[in-house]
Amino acid sequence: MTTTATAETGTIDPITFEVIRHRLLAITDEQGATLAAISGSTHVVEASDYNVGLYLPDGSVAAMGRTILSHASSMAAITRSVIEDCTEDPGIAPGDMFIVNDPWKGTVHAQDVGLIAPIFFEGELLAWTGAMCHMVDVGGMTPGSFCIDATDSYQEGLQMPPTKLVDGGRVRTDVWNLILAHTRMAPTVNLDLRALIGANNTAVRAMTALAGKYGAGTVRTVMENLIGLSEKRLRNRLAKLPDARLHSRAFLDNDGGLAQSRENATYEIDLVLTKRGDVLRFDFSGSSPQAKGYINCAHSGMMAGIAAALLPTLAFDAPWNEGLFKPVEVECPEGLICNASRPAAVSGGALEAGWLVEMTATECLSKLAACSDELLREAQAGPAGGPDKFVLTGAGENGARQTYVIMDCLATGGAAYAHRDGAWTQGQHNIERQRISNVEAVEMDSPLMYLWRGLVADSGGAGRYRGGMSMGAVYTVHGGRDVTALNSAHGWEVPNSTGIFGGYPGAQNTRTVIHGSDVKARLAAGEIPRPEELAGERPVMRGRQGLYALGDDDVLATVPQAGGGWGDPLDRPAEHVQADLDFGAITPDAAVRLYGVALTADGRVDAEATAQVRARLRTGRRALPAERPLPEAPEGPRTRIHPMGDGMEVVQVGARRWVACGCGRVLAPAGEPWRPYAAVEVGYDVHELGHATRLDAGLELRRYACPACGRLQATDVVRKGDAHLDDIRLLAAGEE
């Protein structure tokens, strides 16, 4: 086949470019299918907690799978670590593969195990390929290797820097045996390792054939041009957005297991995102120092969180590769909770500090997108703010003691958008192709039986558009011996799934344990009881509960976090609230308490009475105090400059710019925060805003409304006594 591609010029005809581009993506799909078929683990098959990719000789991502987004930057970092550490000794040759799970060498935590392989063609390095998956156990002090009582990384299991696992096509049995000796689940990890090798072999064969057909120079040119295409597309998009400084702060409650959490500390992930021209600068310098518990993440975890936010929000139509990270600058001194120094405990980092990096980055990027009419539909409220890990250990009916990771906590509701409700059981924001675990498979593999699994009413955050509902579950032990459970979650006393532009937060993690219940007697009598109907002891649960025993008569009920709402709940049309009631998405109590509707005696929404109730509520908001009086309305014609969501905008009158409510009332000069001019209500009862019932004693809830029309414009979770957030500041030329 004749093409215009040359290694010297880097040019290639469009048809050949597209053919090879799609072949590269198909290769990553084939890698993923191979990995899943061989592994069979719940992390791979159900949670899609794996990824694959193809990389340039310098380690730059050229093509990646679309499974878990947090591995996007991690795999590139691992590849560069292999190049740096192994080029001279032990050397890199055809048929080699290098295994890595050291968080300071690129992985997010030790449970994420990556395998990297060079691809040689005609004696020269053509590219790299890699595969990574979360493994059920890599040792450490706790089954599942989420070591919530750990105070340093040495307690968290095997952590391998780049190590040659396959030497010239032959597996090094000594290294293989060393890995299996460190896990409680050797048969499962054994299959995972084989799956990683299989995925890489698939890519090596396919890439070699591709280079044989088109030439190594042509294939590399396409990979390089793909990176350039993505960079150009993102930079062009950024250049069209207004320059702005955005601020988000997320709270991480408690620092680890029972040994650490006596301090009851609440930590902060603090992000200031500055967009100038075609560059994004993420500054996490205001975040808390690293904690002594397992909630920290290393630099790789921070970059993984940024990638999981950036790719679907602003790069939704670009090839996902290294080019998307070229316009990104990151500032975060080492030693902070989201860039922890060795030997900090980091086994929970992917689901703790790293997760909240993603949440803050998603909030800032969404608010940036919401300053553009073109991109407003891509902005979203806070997605589900992090799972309540559920790791079960015990002997099943076959007598063998095993570790089971129950994945129901991933079936979370999605965030609301400016034009639609969040999708129910969408799954986690950072997992593109997630599945929900199969009830029968869980009951067959583990000593658990479901009493109920379904959508949880009121779990989605209230708003003009509602967050999606999450899936809850109720379990009891069945056919097991010596069963212990481990649960650990943030979002226990803090709303992490925040609303946007007046929307309320989604549900917080909730867990109820009933010891010594009468569940077996109820089942024998033909009943399937609800948890609130059961007798038994109900111990006080904690976010970082740690290990506890589950007996034959014990019951566990869980509700995960869910997506936040968009816009003032009082603006949700009455007929939509009625549809929510009919579907079971909300309860009558929530309809009245959160959405301000009036119900008839038979539980239907009374539209006329609802309008009157909402008018009274808005009047009450207008009477709330403000820190500063509203400025006098400027005189003269107005020019709309940018939206700030769909309820506020920046307008220009004469030479000055102002922040104005959608009702037309000017709230503040555009160079100042608008919140001090708004009517504000401070509260401490989180149940007033949704499904949750617990709020950290050091936090408060602030609702900001327009003093002219009473529309809610922001719902903030802040530390008591802190200054107002300045979450969106559009920057004038030269302003920092």
Side-chain angles (χ1 to χ4, degrees):
M1 178 177 180
T2 302
T3 74
T4 60
T6 68
E8 290 78 16
T9 65
T11 60
I12 191 168
D13 72 83
I15 294 175
T16 302
F17 178 86
E18 287 298 315
V19 169
I20 296 176
R21 176 173 80 90
H22 283 85
R23 180 60 187 136
L24 294 172
L25 295 175
I27 290 170
T28 62
D29 285 342
E30 292 165 14
Q31 282 185 276
T34 301
L35 198 160
I38 298 173
S39 166
S41 80
T42 55
H43 284 97
V44 171
V45 176
E46 294 177 2
S48 297
D49 196 347
Y50 70 95
N51 215 331
V52 295
L54 300 168
Y55 313 89
L56 289 175
D58 67 355
S60 299
V61 184
M64 56 173 279
R66 296 179 74 99
T67 47
I68 188 164
L69 303 185
S70 56
H71 289 174
S73 62
S74 181
M75 294 283 287
I78 289 172
T79 305
R80 293 188 174 105
S81 293
V82 170
I83 295 169
E84 182 178 353
D85 292 2
C86 302
T87 298
E88 293 186 7
D89 184 13
I92 298 169
D96 290 350
M97 295 191 192
F98 299 85
I99 192 166
V100 185
N101 78 324
D102 184 338
W104 286 273
K105 292 293 183 179
T107 66
V108 180
H109 54 181
Q111 301 95 305
D112 288 338
V113 180
L115 192 67
I116 306 298
I119 304 173
F120 285 85
F121 181 75
E122 296 181 348
E124 294 187 2
L125 181 63
L126 169 67
W128 290 85
T129 185
M132 172 185 281
C133 71
H134 183 111
M135 295 194 178
V136 64
D137 187 280
V138 293
M141 62 196 300
T142 306
S145 304
F146 287 107
C147 303
I148 69 171
D149 288 319
T151 56
D152 60 48
S153 60
Y154 302 116
Q155 300 170 313
E156 295 183 312
L158 181 65
Q159 297 175 32
M160 294 171 288
T163 303
K164 188 176 288 191
L165 178 63
V166 181
D167 189 353
R170 297 186 63 181
V171 172
R172 289 189 55 187
T173 306
D174 55 347
V175 178
W176 193 281
N177 291 341
L178 183 147
I179 295 168
L180 296 186
H182 280 77
T183 174
R184 298 170 179 86
M185 295 292 289
T188 302
V189 171
N190 178 63
L191 282 176
D192 284 342
L193 292 173
R194 294 176 184 274
L196 297 177
I197 291 174
N200 284 345
N201 283 336
T202 296
V204 171
R205 287 192 297 268
M207 287 292 288
T208 302
L210 193 64
K213 183 174 183 179
Y214 293 98
T218 300
V219 173
R220 264 199 303 266
T221 297
V222 171
M223 296 171 76
E224 291 165 354
N225 288 357
L226 271 172
I227 292 172
L229 171 65
S230 295
E231 179 184 1
K232 181 179 180 181
R233 190 167 291 179
L234 180 55
R235 286 192 186 275
N236 287 344
R237 176 158 290 150
L238 291 173
K240 294 178 182 178
L241 288 167
D243 288 344
R245 184 176 65 245
L246 305 109
H247 188 195
S248 175
R249 184 182 296 133
F251 296 99
L252 187 54
D253 39 341
N254 299 320
D255 60 354
L258 299 179
Q260 306 344 310
S261 60
R262 284 192 297 269
E263 297 179 1
N264 197 32
T266 299
Y267 299 85
E268 295 179 15
I269 308 297
D270 187 278
L271 170 61
V272 175
L273 173 65
T274 304
K275 181 268 167 188
R276 277 284 187 195
D278 61 358
V279 175
L280 290 170
R281 186 172 188 271
F282 294 81
D283 187 352
F284 290 95
S285 300
S287 301
S288 298
Q290 66 189 53
K292 65 181 179 181
Y294 87 134
I295 61 175
N296 309 284
C297 68
H299 184 270
S300 55
M302 175 182 62
M303 293 305 299
I306 292 172
L310 174 64
L311 270 57
T313 306
L314 293 184
F316 49 87
D317 58 353
W320 287 357
N321 58 44
E322 191 78 20
L324 301 176
F325 300 102
K326 291 183 179 294
V328 171
E329 300 173 356
V330 179
E331 176 69 23
C332 185
E334 193 172 5
L336 298 184
I337 193 169
C338 48
N339 186 15
S341 304
R342 193 190 293 273
V346 296
S347 61
L351 305 183
E352 304 291 352
W355 199 288
L356 294 189
V357 166
E358 177 191 347
M359 297 296 291
T360 53
T362 298
E363 180 180 352
C364 285
L365 291 170
S366 288
K367 288 181 176 178
L368 176 62
C371 293
S372 160
D373 290 314
E374 179 184 352
L375 293 178
L376 178 62
R377 289 169 66 92
E378 303 300 330
Q380 64 173 300
D388 184 6
K389 294 174 285 295
F390 181 15
V391 181
L392 196 72
T393 303
E397 291 182 334
N398 63 2
R401 189 166 183 81
Q402 297 189 66
T403 297
Y404 313 87
V405 180
I406 310 302
M407 298 294 184
D408 291 335
C409 60
L410 300 182
T412 53
Y417 287 74
H419 59 288
R420 65 169 176 86
D421 292 340
W424 45 270
T425 60
Q426 166 188 293
Q428 303 296 355
H429 177 259
N430 55 23
I431 304 177
E432 282 285 290
R433 296 177 178 175
Q434 181 184 304
R435 297 180 177 89
I436 295 175
S437 56
N438 180 280
V439 168
E440 288 78 11
V442 173
E443 291 183 331
M444 181 176 66
D445 293 340
S446 72
L448 285 180
M449 180 172 67
Y450 285 84
L451 299 176
W452 175 84
R453 191 173 81 163
L455 299 174
V456 179
D458 301 338
S459 55
R464 187 178 78 252
Y465 286 101
R466 173 179 47 74
M469 290 179 289
S470 286
M471 183 186 78
V474 182
Y475 317 88
T476 189
V477 174
H478 180 71
R481 292 185 293 102
D482 302 323
V483 176
T484 59
L486 179 144
N487 292 109
S488 181
H490 62 260
W492 188 256
E493 295 181 326
V494 177
N496 291 136
S497 308
T498 51
I500 193 169
F501 300 124
Y504 288 171
Q508 296 167 207
N509 284 310
T510 302
R511 180 189 336 117
T512 302
V513 170
I514 307 169
H515 289 308
S517 77
D518 56 348
V519 63
K520 295 297 192 296
R522 294 288 193 99
L523 291 172
E527 303 175 36
I528 302 179
R530 296 192 300 270
E532 60 270 22
E533 298 171 342
L534 291 169
E537 177 190 357
R538 287 171 164 78
V540 176
M541 287 279 106
R542 309 166 65 102
R544 315 286 180 195
Q545 188 63 29
L547 288 169
Y548 60 95
L550 281 178
D552 284 348
D553 295 320
D554 294 348
V555 170
L556 169 64
T558 63
V559 175
Q561 299 199 62
W566 180 297
D568 187 347
L570 298 187
D571 288 339
R572 188 166 181 82
E575 60 269 24
H576 290 186
V577 178
Q578 183 61 65
D580 291 340
L581 287 167
D582 293 341
F583 185 74
I586 64 174
T587 61
D589 169 70
V592 173
R593 176 167 48 89
L594 305 178
Y595 291 96
V597 303
L599 300 178
T600 62
D602 60 353
R604 308 295 292 176
V605 174
D606 184 325
E608 183 177 345
T610 293
Q612 296 173 357
V613 170
R614 288 176 167 180
R616 288 196 300 271
L617 291 171
R618 291 188 181 100
T619 298
R621 289 174 179 173
R622 293 198 298 270
L624 292 169
E627 187 174 297
R628 299 179 190 174
L630 286 173
E632 290 188 14
E635 296 183 358
R638 295 187 181 187
T639 302
R640 181 176 180 272
I641 305 300
H642 293 293
M644 288 177 59
D646 57 356
M648 292 191 295
E649 57 190 11
V650 175
V651 299
Q652 185 160 334
V653 182
R656 296 194 66 182
R657 291 186 174 183
W658 304 84
V659 175
C661 176
C663 71
R665 183 63 171 94
V666 163
L667 298 178
E672 297 181 25
W674 63 268
R675 281 172 173 77
Y677 296 90
V680 60
E681 180 178 9
V682 179
Y684 306 96
D685 182 1
V686 72
H687 195 58
E688 291 182 358
L689 305 186
H691 181 273
T693 57
R694 300 176 305 272
L695 184 67
D696 184 285
L699 303 178
E700 64 186 26
L701 308 165
R702 298 179 190 167
R703 285 179 276 186
Y704 297 87
C706 171
C709 69
R711 170 179 284 173
L712 204 60
Q713 297 287 10
T715 303
D716 296 342
V717 182
V718 297
R719 288 195 188 272
K720 291 179 179 177
D722 273 5
H724 302 288
L725 285 174
D726 186 10
D727 60 336
I728 306 176
R729 178 77 67 88
L730 299 181
L731 300 176
E735 184 182 356
E736 294 297 332

